[in-house]
Amino acid sequence: MSAAGLSATGLSLSFGGVHAVRGVSLETPEGQLTALIGRDGAGKTTTFNALCGLNKPSAGRTQIFGPDISRLAPRDRAQ
């Protein structure tokens, strides 16, 4: 089994009183293509934006190859 490339634990994000993403946890194996699928309005884009740092989650953390990148700006995450 491959090591985790990207992992998220307990990601939550709200807009006003609307919970767009609540408690999302995922792990993608290093070197493997992974897709996030679901119905319209399920929070796929919001989850992706939280992982990239475009939207700041209210809870949770994101890691790439182990180190926590939750507090890094989007441009620094891409490095």
Side-chain angles (χ1 to χ4, degrees):
M1 181 176 214
S2 297
L6 170 71
S7 65
T9 307
L11 283 183
S12 295
L13 181 63
S14 298
F15 297 103
V18 177
H19 297 284
V21 173
R22 189 184 301 183
V24 171
S25 295
L26 58 88
E27 188 172 288
T28 62
E30 179 182 353
Q32 190 169 353
L33 182 64
T34 304
L36 187 60
I37 60 172
R39 62 178 174 75
D40 289 351
K44 300 176 299 292
T45 301
T46 304
T47 299
F48 182 79
N49 288 342
L51 291 170
C52 294
L54 298 173
N55 292 100
K56 184 178 178 185
S58 54
R61 67 181 187 169
T62 303
Q63 297 171 270
I64 294 182
F65 303 116
D68 190 340
I69 61 163
S70 300
R71 298 184 187 270
L72 296 179
R75 69 179 175 275
D76 297 328
R77 292 177 188 217
Q79 303 280 332

